[in-house]
Amino acid sequence: MFLWSASLRNRFTIAVCVLAVASGCAMQRFLRVEERQIDARLRFFLGGGGNSLVLTHGKQAFLIDVKFAGASKSLRHRVETELERSVRRAMVTHSHFDHAGGLDEFRNLGPVLIHPNARQRLEADGVRAQWIDVEGPLELQLEDEVVRVWHPGTGHTDGDLVAYLVHRKLLVTGDLVSADMEPVIDVEAGGDVLAWAGTLKGLLELDFVTALPGHGPPIGRDTLVRLHEYLTLLEREVSVAQQQGLSEDDVVAKVSLVETPALEPVPFAANREKTIRLMDRALRARRSTKE
Ligand SMILES: [Zn+2]
């Protein structure tokens, strides 16, 4: 979710500590790790940065998202020392530090599945790993579990991967969906509010029952449906306002989104007004490209 790069990790840690004191529950929920054991082989580690998933197979574990440095140390201790599984394969959903910043903590880590755009950003920040670039679908067979990994389209960034645990009908979305939070659009990392609804529409065609979002507790299909409806309605209302010749500020004042329930703002990263402004700019840019 957060947009700081790995090279800013010290400043990030200080900022997080200050925010944790200052802003109460939302940030404490972001920092605190909650382990949820789904069954003998599957666990979610919510918080401590982005959510993580651990799927064990034999003496090994497949890990999705490694959190930021401090939380990844605890995650590694839990999986490697207490659960006695070695993490030999991992996937990072995107390049943001709260999801991928802890890669250095996992010694003996083998291949790391990643989108090439996310890999380039992490490499620019000095992060090294045995990367495997993924864009189209790639399938892992881990004992009797099938995990499908692919890039479903642009939204949060232009380098997000999702994973689908086929037999469990479980989708891992990274920050393409966070539980009832305002969507964070990282424009510098290729994020695109206009493309996001189409990406979600593709995900909704999957036969999933539960999703592990980038942040917050596990969700059902309804959360993706709500986010898709919100972005679709936003595009429509902003388009109508622009057709009346309004400026960006007037568009912000005009768009009501009365049918859309409020989403929780993300401190310093996302709120309703910011999303409207980004949609306004994206639609104007698309129109000027066509002209
Ligand atoms: Zn993110």
Side-chain angles (χ1 to χ4, degrees), residues 1-2 94 96 98-99 156 175:
M1 176 191 296
F2 282 78
H94 62 295
H96 285 158
D98 51 330
H99 296 258
H156 178 58
D175 282 354

Side-chain angles (χ1 to χ4, degrees), residues 1-3 50 93-99 156-157 160 174-176 178 184 186 214-215:
M1 176 191 296
F2 282 78
L3 316 183
T93 56
H94 62 295
S95 60
H96 285 158
F97 188 60
D98 51 330
H99 296 258
H156 178 58
T157 73
D160 290 70
D175 282 354
L176 279 165
S178 285
V184 177
D186 185 356
H215 298 270

Side-chain angles (χ1 to χ4, degrees), residues 51-151:
N51 290 336
S52 302
L53 175 148
V54 173
L55 179 66
T56 60
H57 53 106
K59 295 300 287 178
Q60 296 187 12
F62 174 63
L63 173 60
I64 300 179
D65 279 354
V66 295
K67 308 188 183 296
F68 49 71
S72 66
K73 199 174 217 165
S74 310
L75 178 61
R76 181 179 158 229
H77 179 79
R78 177 76 181 124
V79 176
E80 295 198 338
T81 306
E82 295 179 4
L83 301 177
E84 299 180 323
R85 299 296 201 288
S86 121
V87 180
R88 297 309 310 275
R89 291 189 192 85
M91 160 190 155
V92 288
T93 56
H94 62 295
S95 60
H96 285 158
F97 188 60
D98 51 330
H99 296 258
L103 275 171
D104 292 348
E105 287 295 335
F106 284 86
R107 291 176 209 132
N108 307 322
L109 187 59
V112 179
L113 309 181
I114 191 165
H115 188 280
N117 293 341
R119 171 181 55 73
Q120 284 163 20
R121 291 186 186 107
L122 288 173
E123 285 180 338
D125 282 330
V127 180
R128 298 284 176 265
Q130 291 181 41
W131 307 116
I132 294 186
D133 284 358
V134 179
E135 289 184 84
L138 176 149
E139 240 171 48
L140 297 175
Q141 180 85 45
L142 305 171
E143 295 188 332
D144 57 349
E145 299 273 358
V146 177
V147 182
R148 193 175 300 150
V149 178
W150 74 103
H151 172 59

Side-chain angles (χ1 to χ4, degrees), residues 30-46:
F30 173 78
L31 289 174
R32 194 185 62 229
V33 179
E34 179 192 340
E35 178 177 338
R36 288 202 191 175
Q37 180 167 3
I38 308 304
D39 57 35
R41 296 182 56 191
L42 182 66
R43 287 163 201 258
F44 300 155
F45 291 81
L46 309 178

